[in-house]
Amino acid sequence: MKCFRTIAMIPARYASSRFPGKMLALLGGKPVIVRTCEAAAGMGLFDKVYAVTDDERIKDTVTAAGIPCIMSSREHETGSDRIAEAVQDIECDIVVNIQGDEPFTRREVIEQVLRPFYEKDGESVDLSTLKEEMTSQEEIHNPNNVKVITDIDGYALYFSRTPLPYLRDPSTSARWWRHIGIYAFRRQALEMFSSWPMGELEAAEKIECLRFLEHGRRIKVVETSGMRVSIDTPEDLALAEQILGSRL
């Protein structure tokens, strides 16, 4: 059985166009970023869990909760660029990027995103991520839901904010998949990603996975289900409170 030193990096910015300061918003009496970090640490899958931020308020908050925090020194286009800077002096093989606004990420989901590295063709996998089927037209046409289409072997063909595929013939059937923004990078792949400039497709769609595809790299996409709410708006926070309350 292969054994990789695996760490979780949880990028957290204070700024947010739809919900500024959401990382420090309280969810069940704890800041969102603290709940996310504690959930990751409690999975027992990581050799170490780090928060990564450029904001002193977030650093002070997670450090007070006993969570290791790395300050990034510059502005970054994406969370993956931020963790690429943070991981430079850390020994590891696999880096899992868990979004700081995903406090309900489950252990089995992380196991799914890590599995491709341990399978027969695992040596060829640079980056693994997730998808979940969408069934409602509202979800499918919502540009905040990134869609992904894959080939028959589960490798990404394209990511977009528009519905993919387009159903030209209503008599045929199709399935639509929402991309889940959890990534497992082989360390060398993360370093490559951050060294490449943003291309036209990534700039247009604002989807960081497109940088990998634009540079001819393959992305393994694993099917999952039952993903809980990510906190993008105050309304999402209220829903998260309900979900948390139902668990208590």
Side-chain angles (χ1 to χ4, degrees), residues 12 24 33-34 37 51 53 57-70:
L24 298 183
I33 182 60
V34 171
C37 291
T53 188
R57 292 163 291 188
I58 293 176
K59 178 186 178 183
D60 291 344
T61 297
V62 297
T63 300
I67 300 160
C69 185
I70 299 172

Side-chain angles (χ1 to χ4, degrees), residues 28-87:
K30 288 184 180 182
V32 168
I33 182 60
V34 171
R35 286 211 173 269
T36 303
C37 291
E38 289 180 346
M43 293 175 189
L45 295 174
F46 302 112
D47 293 279
K48 199 82 172 180
V49 174
Y50 300 89
V52 184
T53 188
D54 61 355
D55 189 277
E56 291 286 350
R57 292 163 291 188
I58 293 176
K59 178 186 178 183
D60 291 344
T61 297
V62 297
T63 300
I67 300 160
C69 185
I70 299 172
M71 288 291 290
S72 58
S73 59
R74 352 177 253 276
E75 288 294 319
H76 293 288
E77 294 287 351
T78 71
S80 294
D81 287 306
R82 189 174 302 282
I83 67 172
E85 178 193 349
V87 81

